[in-house]
Amino acid sequence: MVVVAVVVLIAVVFVAQDRWRRGALFFGGATLIAAAFRLCLPTVRVGLLAVRSRPFDVGALTLLGGSIVFLAATINTLGVG
């Protein structure tokens, strides 16, 4: 849980510095890391990452994280380089 929280904090710092695309990529990455931890670690070790059953949690986190990374990577840069 701490690793995921640190990556989310890095994403917030990027967004606060007007680096919203990079922040969104980090946030999506944090969600994918959370999915990997939920998949690999036992339920007693994942803490607050365990919300429902393991397959549901992994599927939901993977779908959400993948969608965020996809949107951040493909969105138009609004005319900037």
Side-chain angles (χ1 to χ4, degrees):
M1 184 69 183
V2 174
V3 173
V4 175
V6 168
V7 177
V8 168
L9 182 64
I10 292 169
V12 169
V13 169
F14 277 129
V15 171
Q17 295 176 346
D18 284 339
R19 304 280 187 217
W20 61 270
R21 279 183 73 181
R22 190 169 296 154
L25 285 170
F26 269 86
F27 187 74
T31 310
L32 292 173
I33 291 170
F37 283 158
R38 181 65 174 116
L39 179 64
C40 297
L41 295 175
T43 303
V44 296
R45 299 270 311 180
V46 294
L48 295 174
L49 295 177
V51 177
R52 299 199 185 272
S53 68
R54 182 179 301 215
F56 179 84
D57 288 344
V58 171
L61 288 168
T62 302
L63 182 66
L64 181 64
S67 299
I68 292 170
V69 169
F70 175 76
L71 286 173
T74 60
I75 197 163
N76 187 359
T77 58
L78 302 174
V80 178

